[in-house]
Amino acid sequence: MLDMRYLRKNSEEAKQRLRDRGVEAETLDQLLTLDQERRDTIQRVENLKAQRNEVSDKIAYAKRQKEDASDAIAQMQQVGSDIKALDAKQAELDEQVNEIAAHLPNLAASEVPVGPDESANVEQRKWAPEHYDNRPEALVKTDWVKAHYDIGEALGILDFERGAKVSGARFLYYVGDGARLERAVYNFMLDEHRKEGYTEMITPIVVNDSAMFGTGQYPKFQDDAYRVAGLDQTYIPTAEVPLTNYYSGETLPAEDLPIKFTALSPSFRKEAGSAGKDTRGLIRLHQFNKVEMVKFTKPEQSYDELEAMTANAENILQKLALPYHVILLSTGDMGFSAAKTYDVEVWMPQQNVYREISSVSNTEDFQARRMHITYRDENNKLQLVHTLNGSGLAVGRTVAAILENYQNQDGSVTIPDVLRPYMGGQEKLEAKSHY
């Protein structure tokens, strides 16, 4: 949620910054008009209540003096009626203001490139291992390189057909070594993040509407969520939601900041609007595992912590020896709640393209204002914390990148060195008899 005080005092600047996020200036004009009407209504109510208190004192005095107070009583009745009407008007205006404000995205940080979509994103850096033992040369697609889903099906470790039979499109079974590889990947990620100072959590996978509103998924993205029929509950689209809401409505000790959480969770997304995109494979599923990172910081810490969190995501890819690059997202490509976002994209040799595997964002105080998460500064004044979140990483996409980048010409897949201790020392994935 944006700061209404900022919007009132800096309306022209705010209009331009909202235009950069794809919001028409008329939307802010409408919001500020309703906000002013609401504030005027509140002032009128307060004036009438003060008048009522004054008249009540006069009535009480008149009665003590046994004087006629009928005119004052009639006046009081009218004032009461006026207050009731204005209270109803204020409630209606509150609803209208909140409805518009809830749909306004966060304002972009000054260094974020302005543009309508991903075409305005800016590459920050690129990384690749020096060599690939028994693997395709870095960033080069060869004739025998296969897509991860073809590799997985040939090895018998990914079963999309039975996933669709049991659950529908974009679901799958991991089988045998596929399940072991997925488990090895997320255990490795969690261990790395724990070393980096994150507290490991196991969160609920069902949250209420207030939690979804707090992180910015509701109301705008409600159509993309899996809701529990008849209940105020949603299956989480990311562990960001329960992790960030952990402190909703609380004041944190300043000396504890920054606070860092990590969690593995399943994530559920309808992928509304993605018809025809990535219909095969692990890239765009309705259910997938993800290791999430979340931070709560003081405002002056948050951009340093954004760089550190991005480095934490990169560390996983470097230790897995997977090529990637980091891009700074434009105003038109950032998520709703973000003020600044880095996407980390891993190289997929079969498609000859980088694909997103982590998105790391600083939301500044946008989420904290919705969730009422504060701390006391050195003057003992309440301040909103800044919240950050990032994938560390999307597990299925990491598995897909491993299968493609570590595939061998004979159809086997070499297991990255850092994952072998998690797989009992196994060095390769090879085709086995049917399970």
Side-chain angles (χ1 to χ4, degrees), residues 405-430:
N405 285 281
Y406 279 82
Q407 63 183 297
N408 302 305
Q409 198 163 359
D410 64 2
S412 66
V413 174
T414 301
I415 296 171
D417 292 343
V418 293
L419 297 183
R420 292 177 187 178
Y422 295 89
M423 297 190 68
Q426 185 175 343
E427 297 182 1
K428 284 188 177 184
L429 303 175
E430 298 177 292

Side-chain angles (χ1 to χ4, degrees), residues 79-98:
V79 169
S81 178
D82 291 344
I83 290 173
K84 184 176 180 180
L86 287 172
D87 281 342
K89 181 180 180 181
Q90 182 190 331
E92 182 181 348
L93 289 167
D94 284 344
E95 186 175 343
Q96 292 173 329
V97 167
N98 291 336

Side-chain angles (χ1 to χ4, degrees), residues 49 303 328 362:
K49 287 180 177 178
Y303 278 97
L328 175 61
N362 185 356

Side-chain angles (χ1 to χ4, degrees), residues 113-402:
V114 176
D117 50 36
E118 65 274 8
S119 64
N121 296 344
V122 179
E123 184 178 75
Q124 304 295 292
R125 54 190 170 273
K126 187 181 293 185
W127 185 91
E130 292 182 1
H131 55 80
Y132 278 117
D133 298 329
N134 300 316
R135 282 165 277 159
E137 195 171 328
L139 311 184
V140 175
K141 177 180 177 180
T142 59
D143 292 339
W144 55 268
V145 172
K146 297 178 181 177
H148 68 276
Y149 41 83
D150 289 328
I151 299 168
E153 288 176 335
L155 292 175
I157 62 174
L158 302 178
D159 195 331
F160 296 97
E161 183 178 348
R162 289 187 174 91
K165 177 184 71 174
V166 173
S167 300
R170 301 183 193 251
F171 290 91
L172 84 152
Y173 286 90
Y174 287 85
V175 180
D177 282 346
R180 292 187 73 201
L181 178 61
E182 174 100 351
R183 180 160 53 91
V185 167
Y186 62 66
N187 282 334
F188 165 67
M189 291 176 183
L190 290 170
D191 285 348
E192 287 298 305
H193 295 324
R194 190 168 49 80
K195 292 174 188 175
E196 293 159 344
Y198 292 82
T199 298
E200 185 175 347
M201 308 278 276
I202 297 177
T203 74
I205 63 170
V206 176
V207 295
N208 57 31
D209 287 357
S210 176
M212 292 289 281
F213 176 84
T215 46
Q217 276 78 16
Y218 283 0
K220 188 170 183 179
F221 304 106
Q222 195 161 324
D223 290 344
D224 205 28
Y226 281 98
R227 292 181 60 79
V228 180
L231 297 175
D232 168 20
Q233 290 181 324
T234 298
Y235 290 98
I236 60 173
T238 164
E240 171 198 346
V241 180
L243 286 177
T244 313
N245 277 277
Y246 185 75
Y247 287 124
S248 60
E250 297 187 32
T251 297
L252 307 180
E255 61 272 19
D256 289 352
L257 299 174
I259 296 171
K260 305 192 291 186
F261 290 152
T262 189
L264 164 74
S265 78
S267 300
F268 302 89
R269 300 180 188 179
K270 288 184 179 178
E271 293 291 349
S274 67
K277 297 179 183 177
D278 301 310
T279 54
R280 296 190 65 188
L282 300 172
I283 300 300
R284 200 178 297 273
L285 297 170
H286 291 313
Q287 176 192 332
F288 57 94
N289 288 322
K290 184 154 71 79
V291 172
E292 189 72 8
M293 302 177 287
V294 160
K295 292 183 181 182
F296 305 84
T297 79
K298 297 176 183 177
E300 63 270 21
Q301 299 171 323
S302 66
Y303 278 97
D304 287 340
E305 292 296 337
L306 175 66
E307 299 300 324
M309 183 180 281
T310 306
N312 298 151
E314 292 180 66
N315 172 63
I316 300 296
L317 291 171
Q318 290 182 14
K319 289 192 172 179
L320 289 170
L322 292 171
Y324 69 88
H325 73 167
V326 179
I327 58 175
L328 175 61
L329 298 194
S330 72
T331 55
D333 199 30
M334 285 197 307
F336 178 79
S337 298
K340 183 177 180 179
T341 297
Y342 292 116
D343 269 8
V344 183
E345 298 184 331
V346 69
W347 181 252
M348 301 296 287
Q350 195 278 333
Q351 293 183 346
N352 206 39
V353 71
Y354 289 103
R355 299 302 300 265
E356 179 194 335
I357 198 166
S358 176
S359 191
V360 185
S361 298
N362 185 356
T363 76
E364 296 186 354
D365 61 12
F366 186 84
Q367 292 179 330
R369 183 171 285 106
R370 296 164 84 102
M371 290 180 283
H372 309 291
I373 306 176
T374 58
Y375 73 100
R376 291 195 179 274
D377 64 18
E378 61 275 10
N379 298 316
N380 204 36
K381 184 178 179 181
L382 284 176
Q383 303 286 355
L384 292 166
V385 301
H386 281 196
T387 61
L388 301 90
N389 63 82
S391 308
L393 307 162
V395 180
R397 293 188 179 199
T398 306
V399 169
I402 290 169

